[in-house]
Coordinates of all heavy atoms in Angstrom, one line a residue:
M18 N 1.0 -1.3 -0.1 CA 0.0 0.0 0.0 C 0.9 1.3 0.0 O 2.1 1.3 0.4 CB -0.9 0.0 1.2 CG -1.7 1.2 1.4 SD -2.9 1.4 2.8 CE -3.8 0.0 2.8
A19 N 0.4 2.2 -0.7 CA 1.2 3.6 -0.7 C 1.1 4.1 0.7 O 0.4 3.9 1.6 CB 0.4 4.5 -1.5
E20 N 2.2 5.0 1.1 CA 2.4 5.6 2.3 C 1.3 6.7 2.6 O 1.0 7.0 3.7 CB 3.7 6.1 2.4 CG 4.1 6.6 3.8 CD 5.6 7.0 3.9 OE1 6.4 7.0 3.0 OE2 5.9 7.5 5.0
H21 N 0.8 7.4 1.5 CA -0.1 8.4 1.6 C -1.4 8.1 0.7 O -1.3 7.6 -0.4 CB 0.6 9.7 0.9 CG 1.9 9.9 1.6 ND1 3.1 9.5 1.1 CD2 2.2 10.8 2.7 CE1 4.1 10.0 1.8 NE2 3.6 10.8 2.9
L22 N -2.5 8.6 1.2 CA -3.7 8.3 0.6 C -4.7 9.5 0.6 O -4.6 10.4 1.4 CB -4.5 7.1 1.4 CG -3.7 6.0 1.7 CD1 -4.6 5.0 2.7 CD2 -3.6 5.1 0.3
I23 N -5.7 9.4 -0.5 CA -6.7 10.4 -0.4 C -7.9 9.6 -0.1 O -8.2 8.7 -0.9 CB -6.8 11.2 -1.7 CG1 -5.6 12.2 -2.0 CG2 -8.1 12.0 -1.7 CD1 -5.6 12.8 -3.3
V24 N -8.7 9.8 0.9 CA -9.9 9.1 1.2 C -11.1 10.1 0.8 O -11.1 11.3 1.3 CB -10.0 8.8 2.7 CG1 -11.3 8.1 3.0 CG2 -8.9 7.7 2.9
T25 N -12.0 9.6 0.0 CA -13.1 10.4 -0.5 C -14.5 9.9 0.1 O -14.7 8.8 0.2 CB -13.1 10.2 -2.1 OG1 -11.9 10.6 -2.6 CG2 -14.3 11.2 -2.6
T26 N -15.4 10.8 0.5 CA -16.6 10.6 0.9 C -17.5 11.8 0.4 O -16.9 12.8 0.0 CB -16.9 10.3 2.3 OG1 -18.0 9.8 2.6 CG2 -16.6 11.5 3.1
T27 N -18.7 11.6 0.4 CA -19.8 12.7 0.1 C -20.8 12.9 1.2 O -21.1 12.0 1.8 CB -20.4 12.5 -1.3 OG1 -21.1 11.2 -1.3 CG2 -19.5 12.5 -2.4
L28 N -21.2 14.1 1.3 CA -22.2 14.4 2.3 C -23.3 15.2 1.7 O -23.1 15.9 0.7 CB -21.6 15.1 3.5 CG -20.7 14.1 4.3 CD1 -19.5 14.7 4.7 CD2 -21.5 13.7 5.5
D29 N -24.5 15.3 2.3 CA -25.7 15.9 1.8 C -25.8 17.5 2.0 O -26.6 18.1 1.4 CB -26.9 15.3 2.2 CG -27.2 15.1 3.6 OD1 -26.2 15.5 4.5 OD2 -28.2 14.7 4.0
T30 N -25.0 18.0 3.0 CA -25.1 19.4 3.2 C -23.7 20.1 3.5 O -22.9 19.3 4.0 CB -26.0 19.7 4.5 OG1 -25.3 19.3 5.6 CG2 -27.3 19.2 4.5
P31 N -23.5 21.3 3.2 CA -22.3 21.9 3.4 C -21.9 21.9 5.0 O -20.7 21.7 5.3 CB -22.3 23.3 3.0 CG -23.8 23.4 2.4 CD -24.5 22.2 2.5
G32 N -23.0 22.1 5.8 CA -22.6 22.0 7.3 C -22.1 20.7 7.7 O -21.2 20.7 8.5
A33 N -22.7 19.6 7.3 CA -22.4 18.3 7.6 C -20.8 18.1 7.1 O -20.0 17.5 7.9 CB -23.2 17.2 7.0
A34 N -20.6 18.6 5.8 CA -19.4 18.3 5.2 C -18.3 19.1 6.1 O -17.1 18.5 6.5 CB -19.2 18.8 3.9
H35 N -18.5 20.4 6.5 CA -17.6 21.1 7.3 C -17.3 20.4 8.6 O -16.1 20.3 9.2 CB -17.9 22.5 7.4 CG -17.6 23.3 6.1 ND1 -16.5 24.0 5.9 CD2 -18.5 23.5 5.0 CE1 -16.5 24.6 4.7 NE2 -17.8 24.3 4.2
A36 N -18.4 20.0 9.3 CA -18.3 19.4 10.6 C -17.5 18.1 10.5 O -16.6 18.0 11.4 CB -19.6 19.1 11.2
L37 N -17.7 17.3 9.6 CA -16.9 16.0 9.5 C -15.5 16.4 9.1 O -14.6 15.8 9.7 CB -17.5 15.1 8.5 CG -16.9 13.8 8.4 CD1 -16.9 13.0 9.6 CD2 -17.9 13.0 7.3
A38 N -15.3 17.3 8.2 CA -13.8 17.6 7.9 C -13.1 18.1 9.1 O -12.0 17.7 9.4 CB -13.9 18.7 6.8
A39 N -13.7 19.1 9.9 CA -13.1 19.5 11.0 C -12.7 18.5 12.0 O -11.8 18.4 12.8 CB -13.9 20.6 11.7
A40 N -13.7 17.6 12.2 CA -13.6 16.4 13.3 C -12.4 15.4 12.9 O -11.6 15.1 13.8 CB -14.9 15.6 13.3
V41 N -12.3 15.2 11.6 CA -11.1 14.2 11.2 C -9.8 15.0 11.2 O -8.8 14.3 11.6 CB -11.5 13.5 10.0 CG1 -12.6 12.6 10.0 CG2 -11.3 14.4 8.7
V42 N -9.7 16.2 11.0 CA -8.5 17.0 11.1 C -8.2 17.1 12.5 O -7.0 16.9 12.9 CB -8.5 18.3 10.4 CG1 -7.4 19.2 10.7 CG2 -8.6 18.1 8.8
E43 N -9.1 17.5 13.4 CA -8.9 17.7 14.9 C -8.3 16.4 15.5 O -7.6 16.5 16.4 CB -10.2 18.2 15.5 CG -10.2 18.3 17.1 CD -9.2 19.3 17.5 OE1 -9.1 20.4 16.8 OE2 -8.6 19.2 18.6
A44 N -8.9 15.4 15.1 CA -8.4 14.0 15.6 C -7.2 13.5 15.0 O -6.8 12.4 15.2 CB -9.6 12.9 15.3
R45 N -6.5 14.2 14.1 CA -5.3 13.9 13.4 C -5.5 12.6 12.5 O -4.5 11.9 12.4 CB -4.2 13.9 14.3 CG -3.8 15.1 14.9 CD -2.3 15.0 15.7 NE -2.1 16.4 16.1 CZ -1.4 17.2 15.4 NH1 -1.0 16.9 14.2 NH2 -0.9 18.4 15.9
L46 N -6.7 12.4 11.9 CA -6.9 11.3 11.2 C -6.7 11.7 9.7 O -6.4 10.9 8.9 CB -8.3 10.8 11.2 CG -8.7 10.2 12.8 CD1 -10.1 9.9 12.7 CD2 -7.7 9.0 13.0
A47 N -6.7 13.0 9.5 CA -6.4 13.6 8.1 C -5.6 14.9 8.4 O -5.9 15.6 9.4 CB -7.6 13.8 7.3
A48 N -4.7 15.1 7.5 CA -3.9 16.4 7.6 C -4.7 17.6 7.1 O -4.4 18.7 7.5 CB -2.5 16.2 6.8
C49 N -5.5 17.3 6.0 CA -6.2 18.3 5.4 C -7.4 17.7 4.7 O -7.3 16.5 4.2 CB -5.2 18.9 4.2 SG -6.1 20.0 3.0
V50 N -8.5 18.4 4.6 CA -9.6 17.9 4.0 C -10.2 19.0 3.0 O -10.4 20.2 3.5 CB -10.8 17.5 4.9 CG1 -12.1 17.0 4.1 CG2 -10.3 16.5 5.9
Q51 N -10.3 18.7 1.8 CA -10.8 19.7 0.8 C -12.4 19.3 0.7 O -12.7 18.3 0.5 CB -10.1 19.6 -0.5 CG -8.7 20.2 -0.4 CD -7.9 20.0 -1.6 OE1 -7.9 18.9 -2.1 NE2 -7.1 21.0 -1.9
I52 N -13.2 20.3 0.5 CA -14.6 20.2 0.3 C -15.0 20.8 -1.0 O -14.6 22.1 -1.2 CB -15.5 20.9 1.6 CG1 -15.0 20.2 2.9 CG2 -16.9 20.8 1.4 CD1 -15.4 21.0 4.1
L53 N -15.6 20.0 -1.7 CA -16.0 20.5 -3.2 C -17.5 20.3 -3.4 O -17.9 19.1 -3.1 CB -15.2 19.8 -4.2 CG -13.6 19.7 -3.9 CD1 -13.1 18.4 -4.1 CD2 -13.1 20.8 -5.0
P54 N -18.2 21.3 -4.0 CA -19.5 20.9 -4.4 C -19.6 20.1 -5.6 O -18.9 20.4 -6.5 CB -20.2 22.3 -4.6 CG -19.0 23.2 -4.8 CD -17.8 22.5 -4.2
V55 N -20.5 19.1 -5.7 CA -20.6 18.3 -6.8 C -22.1 17.9 -7.0 O -22.8 18.0 -6.2 CB -19.9 16.9 -6.6 CG1 -18.3 17.2 -6.5 CG2 -20.3 16.1 -5.5
T56 N -22.4 17.4 -8.2 CA -23.7 16.8 -8.4 C -23.6 15.4 -8.7 O -22.8 15.0 -9.5 CB -24.4 17.5 -9.5 OG1 -24.6 18.9 -9.3 CG2 -25.8 16.8 -9.9
S57 N -24.2 14.6 -7.9 CA -24.1 13.1 -8.1 C -25.4 12.5 -8.8 O -26.5 12.9 -8.4 CB -24.0 12.3 -6.8 OG -22.7 12.7 -6.2
V58 N -25.2 11.7 -9.8 CA -26.2 10.9 -10.5 C -26.0 9.4 -10.2 O -24.9 9.0 -10.5 CB -26.3 11.2 -12.0 CG1 -27.4 10.5 -12.6 CG2 -26.4 12.9 -12.2
Y59 N -27.0 8.8 -9.7 CA -26.7 7.4 -9.1 C -28.1 6.7 -9.1 O -29.2 7.3 -9.1 CB -26.1 7.5 -7.8 CG -26.8 8.1 -6.8 CD1 -27.7 7.4 -5.8 CD2 -26.7 9.6 -6.7 CE1 -28.4 8.2 -4.9 CE2 -27.4 10.3 -5.7 CZ -28.2 9.6 -4.8 OH -29.0 10.2 -3.8
R60 N -27.9 5.4 -9.1 CA -29.3 4.4 -8.9 C -29.3 4.1 -7.4 O -28.2 3.6 -6.9 CB -29.1 3.3 -9.8 CG -30.3 2.4 -9.8 CD -30.2 1.3 -10.6 NE -29.8 1.4 -12.0 CZ -30.5 1.9 -13.1 NH1 -31.8 1.9 -13.0 NH2 -29.9 2.1 -14.2
W61 N -30.3 4.3 -6.9 CA -30.5 4.0 -5.4 C -31.9 3.4 -5.2 O -32.9 4.0 -5.5 CB -30.3 5.1 -4.5 CG -30.3 4.7 -3.1 CD1 -31.2 5.1 -2.1 CD2 -29.3 4.0 -2.5 NE1 -30.8 4.6 -1.0 CE2 -29.7 4.0 -1.1 CE3 -28.0 3.4 -2.8 CZ2 -28.9 3.2 -0.2 CZ3 -27.3 2.7 -1.9 CH2 -27.8 2.6 -0.5
H62 N -32.1 2.0 -4.8 CA -33.2 1.4 -4.5 C -34.0 1.4 -5.8 O -35.3 1.7 -5.8 CB -34.1 2.1 -3.3 CG -33.4 2.0 -2.2 ND1 -33.2 0.7 -1.4 CD2 -32.9 2.8 -1.2 CE1 -32.5 0.9 -0.2 NE2 -32.3 2.3 -0.1
G63 N -33.4 1.2 -6.9 CA -34.1 0.9 -8.2 C -34.4 2.2 -9.0 O -34.9 2.1 -10.0
A64 N -34.2 3.4 -8.4 CA -34.5 4.7 -9.1 C -33.3 5.6 -9.3 O -32.4 5.5 -8.5 CB -35.4 5.5 -8.3
I65 N -33.2 6.2 -10.4 CA -32.2 7.2 -10.8 C -32.3 8.5 -9.9 O -33.4 9.1 -9.9 CB -32.1 7.6 -12.2 CG1 -31.9 6.2 -13.1 CG2 -30.9 8.6 -12.6 CD1 -30.7 5.5 -12.9
Q66 N -31.3 8.8 -9.2 CA -31.3 10.0 -8.4 C -30.3 11.0 -8.9 O -29.3 10.7 -9.6 CB -30.9 9.7 -6.9 CG -31.8 8.5 -6.4 CD -33.1 8.9 -6.0 OE1 -33.4 10.0 -5.6 NE2 -34.0 7.9 -6.1
S67 N -30.5 12.3 -8.6 CA -29.6 13.4 -8.9 C -29.7 14.3 -7.8 O -30.6 14.9 -7.6 CB -29.9 14.1 -10.3 OG -29.0 15.1 -10.5
D68 N -28.5 14.5 -7.1 CA -28.6 15.3 -5.9 C -27.2 16.1 -5.8 O -26.2 15.6 -6.1 CB -28.7 14.5 -4.6 CG -29.9 13.7 -4.4 OD1 -31.0 14.4 -4.5 OD2 -30.0 12.5 -4.5
P69 N -27.4 17.4 -5.3 CA -26.2 18.1 -4.9 C -25.5 17.5 -3.6 O -26.2 17.0 -2.6 CB -26.6 19.4 -4.5 CG -28.1 19.3 -4.2 CD -28.5 18.1 -4.8
E70 N -24.2 17.3 -3.6 CA -23.5 16.8 -2.5 C -22.3 17.6 -2.4 O -21.8 18.3 -3.2 CB -23.1 15.2 -2.8 CG -24.3 14.3 -2.8 CD -23.8 12.9 -2.9 OE1 -23.2 12.6 -3.9 OE2 -24.2 12.2 -1.9
W71 N -21.4 17.3 -1.3 CA -20.2 17.9 -1.0 C -19.2 16.9 -0.8 O -19.4 15.9 0.1 CB -20.4 18.8 0.3 CG -21.0 20.1 -0.2 CD1 -20.5 21.3 -0.5 CD2 -22.5 20.2 -0.4 NE1 -21.5 22.3 -0.8 CE2 -22.7 21.6 -0.8 CE3 -23.6 19.4 -0.3 CZ2 -23.9 22.1 -1.2 CZ3 -24.9 20.0 -0.5 CH2 -25.1 21.3 -1.0
R72 N -18.2 16.8 -1.6 CA -17.2 15.7 -1.6 C -16.1 16.2 -0.7 O -15.5 17.3 -0.8 CB -16.7 15.5 -3.2 CG -15.7 14.4 -3.1 CD -15.3 14.0 -4.5 NE -14.5 15.1 -5.1 CZ -14.6 15.4 -6.3 NH1 -15.5 14.8 -7.2 NH2 -13.9 16.4 -6.9
L73 N -15.7 15.2 0.2 CA -14.6 15.4 1.0 C -13.4 14.6 0.5 O -13.5 13.4 0.2 CB -14.9 15.1 2.5 CG -15.6 16.1 3.4 CD1 -16.9 16.4 2.8 CD2 -15.7 15.5 4.8
E74 N -12.2 15.3 0.3 CA -11.0 14.7 -0.1 C -10.0 14.8 1.1 O -9.5 15.8 1.4 CB -10.4 15.2 -1.3 CG -11.4 15.0 -2.5 CD -10.8 15.6 -3.8 OE1 -9.7 16.3 -3.7 OE2 -11.4 15.4 -4.9
C75 N -9.9 13.7 1.9 CA -9.1 13.6 3.1 C -7.8 13.1 2.8 O -7.6 12.0 2.4 CB -9.8 12.7 4.0 SG -11.4 13.0 4.4
K76 N -6.6 13.9 3.0 CA -5.3 13.5 2.8 C -4.8 12.9 4.0 O -4.8 13.6 5.2 CB -4.4 14.7 2.4 CG -4.5 15.1 1.0 CD -5.8 15.3 0.5 CE -5.8 16.5 -0.5 NZ -6.9 17.3 -0.4
T77 N -4.2 11.6 3.9 CA -3.9 11.0 5.2 C -2.8 10.1 5.0 O -2.3 9.9 3.8 CB -5.0 10.2 5.7 OG1 -4.9 9.7 7.2 CG2 -5.5 9.1 4.9
S78 N -2.3 9.5 6.0 CA -1.2 8.6 6.0 C -1.8 7.1 6.0 O -2.8 6.9 6.6 CB -0.1 8.6 7.1 OG -0.9 8.7 8.3
A79 N -1.1 6.2 5.3 CA -1.7 4.8 5.3 C -2.0 4.3 6.6 O -3.0 3.5 6.7 CB -0.9 3.9 4.4
D80 N -1.2 4.5 7.5 CA -1.3 3.7 8.9 C -2.5 4.4 9.6 O -3.0 4.0 10.7 CB 0.0 3.8 9.7 CG 0.3 5.3 10.1 OD1 -0.1 6.3 9.4 OD2 1.3 5.4 10.9
R81 N -3.1 5.5 9.2 CA -4.3 6.1 9.8 C -5.6 5.7 9.1 O -6.7 6.1 9.5 CB -4.2 7.6 9.9 CG -2.9 8.1 10.6 CD -3.0 7.7 12.1 NE -3.7 8.8 12.8 CZ -4.4 8.6 13.9 NH1 -4.3 7.4 14.5 NH2 -5.0 9.4 14.5
L82 N -5.5 5.0 8.0 CA -6.6 4.6 7.2 C -7.7 3.9 8.0 O -8.9 4.3 8.0 CB -6.2 3.7 6.0 CG -7.4 3.4 5.1 CD1 -8.0 4.5 4.3 CD2 -6.9 2.3 4.0
D83 N -7.5 2.9 8.6 CA -8.6 2.2 9.4 C -9.3 3.1 10.3 O -10.6 3.0 10.5 CB -8.1 1.0 10.0 CG -7.5 -0.1 9.0 OD1 -8.0 0.0 7.9 OD2 -6.7 -0.9 9.5
A84 N -8.5 3.8 11.2 CA -9.1 4.7 12.2 C -10.0 5.9 11.3 O -11.1 6.2 11.8 CB -8.1 5.4 13.1
L85 N -9.5 6.4 10.4 CA -10.2 7.4 9.5 C -11.5 6.8 8.9 O -12.6 7.4 9.1 CB -9.3 7.9 8.4 CG -10.1 9.0 7.4 CD1 -10.5 10.1 8.2 CD2 -9.2 9.4 6.3
L86 N -11.5 5.7 8.4 CA -12.7 5.0 7.8 C -13.7 4.7 8.9 O -14.9 5.1 8.8 CB -12.3 3.7 7.0 CG -11.5 4.0 5.8 CD1 -11.2 2.4 5.2 CD2 -12.2 4.6 4.8
A87 N -13.2 4.2 10.1 CA -14.1 4.1 11.3 C -14.8 5.4 11.6 O -16.0 5.3 11.9 CB -13.4 3.4 12.3
E88 N -14.1 6.4 11.7 CA -14.6 7.7 12.1 C -15.6 8.2 11.1 O -16.7 8.7 11.4 CB -13.5 8.7 12.4 CG -14.0 10.0 12.9 CD -14.3 10.0 14.4 OE1 -14.0 9.0 15.0 OE2 -14.9 11.0 14.9
L89 N -15.2 8.2 9.9 CA -16.1 8.5 8.8 C -17.5 7.7 8.8 O -18.5 8.4 8.8 CB -15.5 8.4 7.4 CG -14.3 9.3 7.1 CD1 -13.7 9.1 5.8 CD2 -14.8 10.8 7.2
R90 N -17.3 6.5 9.0 CA -18.7 5.6 9.1 C -19.4 5.9 10.3 O -20.7 6.1 10.2 CB -18.3 4.2 9.2 CG -18.0 3.5 7.9 CD -17.9 1.9 8.0 NE -17.1 1.5 7.1 CZ -15.8 1.2 7.2 NH1 -15.0 1.3 8.4 NH2 -15.0 0.7 6.1
A91 N -18.9 6.3 11.5 CA -19.6 6.5 12.7 C -20.3 7.8 12.6 O -21.3 8.0 13.2 CB -18.4 6.5 13.9
R92 N -19.7 8.9 11.9 CA -20.2 10.2 11.9 C -21.2 10.4 10.6 O -21.8 11.3 10.6 CB -19.2 11.2 11.9 CG -18.4 11.3 13.2 CD -17.3 12.3 13.1 NE -16.7 12.5 14.4 CZ -17.1 13.4 15.2 NH1 -18.1 14.3 15.0 NH2 -16.5 13.6 16.4
H93 N -21.2 9.4 9.8 CA -21.9 9.6 8.5 C -23.4 9.4 8.6 O -23.8 8.5 9.3 CB -21.3 8.8 7.4 CG -21.2 9.4 6.1 ND1 -22.3 9.5 5.4 CD2 -20.2 9.7 5.4 CE1 -22.0 10.2 4.1 NE2 -20.8 10.2 4.2
S94 N -24.3 10.3 7.8 CA -25.6 10.0 8.0 C -26.2 9.2 6.9 O -27.4 8.9 6.9 CB -26.3 11.5 7.8 OG -25.9 12.1 6.6
Y95 N -25.4 8.8 5.8 CA -25.9 8.1 4.8 C -26.0 6.6 5.2 O -25.3 6.0 6.0 CB -24.8 8.1 3.6 CG -25.0 9.4 2.8 CD1 -25.7 10.5 3.2 CD2 -24.3 9.4 1.6 CE1 -25.7 11.6 2.5 CE2 -24.2 10.6 0.9 CZ -25.1 11.8 1.3 OH -25.0 12.9 0.6
E96 N -27.0 5.7 4.6 CA -27.2 4.5 4.9 C -25.9 3.6 4.4 O -25.6 2.7 5.0 CB -28.4 3.9 4.1 CG -28.7 2.6 4.2 CD -30.1 2.1 3.4 OE1 -30.9 3.0 3.1 OE2 -30.2 1.0 3.0
E97 N -25.4 3.9 3.1 CA -24.2 3.4 2.7 C -23.3 4.4 2.1 O -23.4 4.8 0.8 CB -24.7 2.4 1.5 CG -23.4 1.5 1.0 CD -22.9 0.8 2.0 OE1 -23.5 -0.1 2.8 OE2 -21.6 0.8 2.3
P98 N -22.5 5.1 2.9 CA -21.6 6.1 2.4 C -20.5 5.6 1.4 O -20.1 4.5 1.5 CB -20.9 6.7 3.7 CG -21.0 5.5 4.7 CD -22.2 4.8 4.3
E99 N -20.2 6.6 0.6 CA -19.1 6.3 -0.3 C -17.8 6.5 0.5 O -17.7 7.6 1.0 CB -19.1 7.4 -1.4 CG -17.8 7.3 -2.3 CD -17.7 8.6 -3.3 OE1 -18.5 9.5 -3.3 OE2 -16.8 8.5 -4.1
L100 N -17.0 5.5 0.6 CA -15.6 5.6 1.2 C -14.6 5.0 0.4 O -14.6 3.6 0.3 CB -15.8 5.0 2.7 CG -16.7 5.4 3.7 CD1 -16.9 4.6 4.9 CD2 -16.3 6.8 4.1
I101 N -13.9 5.7 -0.3 CA -12.9 5.2 -1.3 C -11.5 5.8 -0.9 O -11.3 7.0 -0.8 CB -13.1 5.7 -2.7 CG1 -14.6 5.1 -3.0 CG2 -12.2 5.3 -3.7 CD1 -15.2 5.6 -4.3
A102 N -10.5 4.8 -0.8 CA -9.1 5.2 -0.6 C -8.3 5.2 -1.8 O -8.4 4.1 -2.6 CB -8.5 4.5 0.5
T103 N -7.6 6.2 -2.3 CA -6.9 6.2 -3.5 C -5.5 6.4 -3.1 O -5.2 7.4 -2.4 CB -7.3 7.4 -4.5 OG1 -8.8 7.1 -4.7 CG2 -6.6 7.3 -5.8
P104 N -4.4 5.7 -3.6 CA -3.1 5.9 -3.2 C -2.5 7.1 -3.9 O -2.9 7.5 -5.0 CB -2.3 4.7 -3.7 CG -3.3 4.1 -4.8 CD -4.6 4.5 -4.4
I105 N -1.8 7.9 -3.2 CA -0.9 9.0 -3.8 C 0.3 8.3 -4.2 O 1.2 7.9 -3.3 CB -0.8 10.1 -2.8 CG1 -2.1 10.7 -2.4 CG2 0.2 11.2 -3.4 CD1 -2.0 11.7 -1.2
V106 N 0.7 8.1 -5.5 CA 1.9 7.5 -5.9 C 3.1 8.5 -6.0 O 4.2 8.0 -5.9 CB 1.6 6.9 -7.2 CG1 0.6 5.7 -7.0 CG2 1.2 7.7 -8.3
A107 N 2.9 9.8 -6.0 CA 4.0 10.8 -6.1 C 3.4 12.2 -5.7 O 2.2 12.3 -5.8 CB 4.5 10.9 -7.5
G108 N 4.3 12.9 -5.3 CA 4.0 14.3 -4.8 C 5.1 15.0 -4.3 O 6.3 14.5 -4.2
S109 N 4.9 16.2 -3.9 CA 6.0 17.2 -3.4 C 6.4 16.6 -2.1 O 5.6 16.2 -1.1 CB 5.3 18.4 -3.2 OG 6.1 19.3 -2.2
P110 N 7.7 16.2 -1.9 CA 8.2 15.7 -0.7 C 7.9 16.3 0.5 O 7.4 15.8 1.5 CB 9.7 15.5 -0.9 CG 9.8 15.5 -2.5 CD 8.8 16.3 -3.0
G111 N 7.9 17.7 0.5 CA 7.6 18.5 1.6 C 6.1 18.4 2.1 O 5.8 18.3 3.3
Y112 N 5.2 18.4 1.1 CA 3.9 18.3 1.5 C 3.5 16.8 1.9 O 2.7 16.7 3.0 CB 3.1 18.4 0.1 CG 1.5 18.3 0.3 CD1 0.7 19.4 1.0 CD2 0.9 17.2 0.1 CE1 -0.6 19.2 1.2 CE2 -0.5 16.9 0.4 CZ -1.3 18.1 0.9 OH -2.6 18.0 1.2
L113 N 4.1 15.8 1.4 CA 3.8 14.5 1.8 C 4.5 14.3 3.2 O 3.8 13.6 4.1 CB 4.4 13.5 0.9 CG 3.7 13.5 -0.6 CD1 4.4 12.5 -1.5 CD2 2.3 13.3 -0.4
D114 N 5.6 14.9 3.6 CA 6.1 14.8 4.9 C 5.2 15.5 5.9 O 5.0 15.0 7.1 CB 7.4 15.5 5.0 CG 8.6 14.6 4.4 OD1 8.4 13.5 4.0 OD2 9.7 15.3 4.1
W115 N 4.6 16.7 5.4 CA 3.6 17.5 6.2 C 2.4 16.6 6.5 O 1.9 16.4 7.7 CB 3.3 18.6 5.5 CG 2.2 19.5 6.3 CD1 2.3 20.2 7.3 CD2 0.8 19.5 5.9 NE1 1.1 20.8 7.6 CE2 0.1 20.2 6.9 CE3 0.0 18.9 4.9 CZ2 -1.2 20.6 6.8 CZ3 -1.4 19.1 4.8 CH2 -1.9 19.9 5.8
V116 N 1.9 15.7 5.5 CA 0.8 15.0 5.8 C 1.1 13.9 6.9 O 0.2 13.7 7.8 CB 0.3 14.1 4.5 CG1 -0.6 13.1 4.8 CG2 -0.2 15.1 3.5
I117 N 2.3 13.3 6.8 CA 2.7 12.3 7.9 C 2.7 13.1 9.2 O 2.2 12.6 10.2 CB 3.9 11.7 7.5 CG1 3.9 10.8 6.2 CG2 4.4 10.9 8.7 CD1 2.9 9.7 6.4
A118 N 3.4 14.1 9.3 CA 3.5 14.9 10.5 C 2.2 15.3 11.1 O 2.0 15.2 12.3 CB 4.4 16.1 10.4
E119 N 1.3 15.7 10.4 CA -0.1 16.1 10.9 C -1.0 15.1 11.2 O -2.1 15.4 11.9 CB -0.7 17.1 9.8 CG 0.0 18.4 9.7 CD 0.1 19.1 11.0 OE1 -0.8 19.3 11.7 OE2 1.2 19.7 11.4
T120 N -0.7 13.8 10.9 CA -1.5 12.6 11.3 C -0.9 11.9 12.4 O -1.0 10.7 12.7 CB -1.8 11.8 10.1 OG1 -0.6 11.3 9.5 CG2 -2.7 12.5 9.1
R121 N 0.0 12.6 13.3 CA 0.6 12.0 14.4 C 0.1 12.6 15.7 O -0.5 13.7 15.7 CB 2.1 12.3 14.4 CG 2.8 11.6 13.2 CD 2.7 10.1 13.2 NE 3.0 9.5 12.0 CZ 2.1 8.8 11.2 NH1 1.0 8.5 11.7 NH2 2.4 8.2 10.1

């Protein structure tokens, strides 16, 4: 597994997105969380849905992944939240060192 990851999830309101982002940064489960407005189109319970959502991109270290996923699940309001971890295969060494330092 890569040493650094981006963990993505989505929430239904900007307030929920900001609260969750602050909670995982405060707990040192993520060094930084970016919040982006998106529109999601998906099938749920047999029907096509289209909803505004707020995507959280949580930058974290691999050894914090399990704790971060557990916190996201515990605080999430969705029945089945999107929780996807994507490896960071390269980046600015200083930034990646900062991600590790801030998740300690």
Side-chain angles (χ1 to χ4, degrees):
M18 180 185 299
E20 187 177 1
H21 306 89
L22 304 167
I23 297 173
V24 175
T25 304
T26 192
T27 54
L28 290 132
D29 57 352
T30 69
H35 283 271
L37 186 52
V41 298
V42 171
E43 176 66 29
R45 293 192 173 272
L46 299 175
C49 172
V50 179
Q51 292 172 316
I52 302 169
L53 305 133
V55 298
T56 300
S57 294
V58 178
Y59 56 99
R60 185 182 312 275
W61 188 247
H62 296 295
I65 301 295
Q66 309 287 326
S67 179
D68 294 302
E70 292 186 297
W71 285 261
R72 183 174 67 219
L73 275 63
E74 295 181 353
C75 309
K76 277 56 143 223
T77 193
S78 53
D80 64 342
R81 300 298 276 156
L82 178 61
D83 291 340
L85 175 58
L86 292 175
E88 187 71 12
L89 292 172
R90 275 189 208 99
R92 292 177 171 269
H93 217 290
S94 63
Y95 287 8
E96 180 180 339
E97 188 60 55
E99 170 188 11
L100 297 171
I101 297 173
T103 304
I105 298 172
V106 297
S109 163
Y112 180 81
L113 297 177
D114 289 347
W115 174 80
V116 169
I117 296 295
E119 290 304 312
T120 55
R121 301 291 162 244

